[in-house]
Amino acid sequence: MCSSCPEIYFALHFQPLKEADPRVEIVEMDPFLWDTYSHVSELGMLDGVQKMEWNKGVHPQLQFISHLPSTVHSEQLLSQFLRYMPDGNWLFAYGRVPLSLILSEHLYRRVVAAVTGTARCKLSIVAEATASCTPTLDFAATQPYDQHFYPLPSLRRMAIDMKKDVRAIGRPYRTMTVVPLEDQLIGKGQMDAWDFCLRRLFVKKSTQLKEVINLLAPNARVLITAVTNPNLPESEQLDVSKRIKDMDARDWSILLKAFYEWPFRPLDLTIHDNYASSLRSL
């Protein structure tokens, strides 16, 4: 059990758990820092965990459970969890380890947003490409907020904050089970390329792919020929008249396959300062 709560909370809430069950180990380190997870491994807490092959099913012995507070850091952390799945890094070195999460409704909607949803974003696409994300409990099971969660703001403060901030204390939480897909749409070692293409193209999310594909690199329009090749099976062809926000994870996998096989693809996958000026010229 890892937590960044003040020491008094360990004494009041976590220590009794350890006393009740000797299997409970408490690590007083910030779960938002990756050094914490390295420390857990160095302490030998995972020594008895079996490493399973990816195609042998969901791990029956290891599970990650977390309450993600309603902050931008939680979104970044969940995004990193998903990004580790294709390469089998972090806990996923042990196999298809499920995640059981309590998270804000705002973040939940971003993760599960469908192609037609207004919350559709880069996180939605990476989630669709890497994991099955389903509700664990009915929404009503975690409502209302003040009967299930802490801290409790005053009603006046909560009413003011909730009008201004989608992450305000008092906004609903939901539960979600995240299970890595056996067949990952993102190939090993290709996460940086996915990041690059998603960031480059999603800034023009209401525009057709064929109109903005050159944002990937000069002469990237040659990729249109690659993804619309009539000699390919229909399942491997891409409708380039789709708007960026209407592309599902399978569409992105077709585009990324062509991008990755393109001999003139950029090797530097960072976004530079002059990127904004190139957008204004479109």
Side-chain angles (χ1 to χ4, degrees):
M1 177 181 294
C2 301
S3 177
S4 56
C5 293
E7 186 174 343
I8 187 172
Y9 287 101
F10 280 98
L12 291 176
H13 302 292
F14 297 155
Q15 191 60 36
L17 290 176
K18 180 175 176 60
E19 293 172 356
D21 190 335
R23 295 174 299 174
V24 175
E25 295 287 348
I26 300 173
V27 179
E28 297 185 37
M29 296 180 68
D30 192 338
F32 286 98
L33 300 177
W34 289 111
D35 285 348
T36 299
Y37 302 102
S38 298
H39 182 67
V40 168
S41 181
E42 290 166 2
L43 290 175
M45 293 182 179
L46 300 175
D47 286 353
V49 177
Q50 175 188 5
K51 288 192 174 182
M52 295 183 57
E53 294 183 20
W54 198 259
N55 62 353
K56 298 300 183 183
V58 178
H59 205 293
Q61 186 183 10
L62 184 60
Q63 184 175 11
F64 181 85
I65 302 172
S66 181
H67 179 181
L68 300 177
S70 187
T71 65
V72 67
H73 300 296
S74 293
E75 181 167 334
Q76 293 168 348
L77 185 66
L78 178 53
S79 175
Q80 192 63 57
F81 291 164
L82 296 168
R83 289 163 50 85
Y84 277 159
M85 291 178 183
D87 290 326
N89 293 329
W90 188 55
L91 290 182
F92 307 113
Y94 292 88
R96 294 170 59 206
V97 175
L99 314 178
S100 295
L101 307 173
I102 298 174
L103 69 171
S104 68
E105 184 178 28
H106 169 72
L107 179 52
Y108 175 92
R109 289 184 181 277
R110 285 172 63 81
V111 171
V112 302
V115 290
T116 56
T118 57
R120 185 74 167 178
C121 60
K122 297 184 290 292
L123 178 62
S124 319
I125 295 163
V126 173
E128 183 185 354
T130 58
S132 166
C133 303
T134 56
T136 310
L137 301 172
D138 290 338
F139 180 60
T142 56
Q143 308 309 311
Y145 174 94
D146 59 2
Q147 292 184 19
H148 296 84
F149 301 103
Y150 183 87
L152 297 177
S154 68
L155 293 178
R156 179 177 179 276
R157 180 75 265 170
M158 186 167 63
I160 294 173
D161 288 347
M162 288 178 67
K163 290 180 179 179
K164 299 178 180 178
D165 187 358
V166 295
R167 299 187 180 92
I169 294 173
R171 286 191 174 274
Y173 278 102
R174 300 193 67 144
T175 59
M176 184 167 68
T177 299
V178 180
V179 178
L181 296 174
E182 179 176 342
D183 297 319
Q184 294 282 309
L185 290 180
I186 301 176
K188 289 185 180 296
Q190 295 184 9
M191 193 67 245
D192 286 347
W194 275 70
D195 272 342
F196 176 83
C197 293
L198 285 168
R199 285 181 294 147
R200 284 270 177 166
L201 297 180
F202 231 84
V203 292
K204 291 288 185 178
K205 62 182 181 180
S206 296
T207 308
Q208 292 179 333
L209 172 62
K210 63 184 179 181
E211 300 297 331
V212 294
I213 198 165
N214 262 3
L215 284 175
L216 296 180
N219 299 318
R221 287 191 63 84
V222 299
L223 297 178
I224 292 179
T225 302
V227 299
T228 58
N229 185 344
N231 294 323
L232 290 174
E234 188 174 338
S235 61
E236 297 178 18
Q237 296 181 41
L238 177 57
D239 179 2
V240 295
S241 67
K242 281 188 176 182
R243 296 178 300 177
I244 298 301
K245 65 180 181 180
D246 294 333
M247 293 171 60
D248 61 21
R250 182 68 62 179
D251 294 329
W252 284 99
S253 70
I254 295 171
L255 176 61
L256 264 294
K257 181 178 183 295
F259 178 81
Y260 215 77
E261 293 174 351
W262 183 33
F264 300 106
R265 72 180 186 277
L267 299 180
D268 181 1
L269 298 180
T270 56
I271 299 292
H272 297 288
D273 292 339
N274 62 358
Y275 179 48
S277 61
S278 70
L279 290 179
R280 288 193 292 271
S281 67
L282 288 175

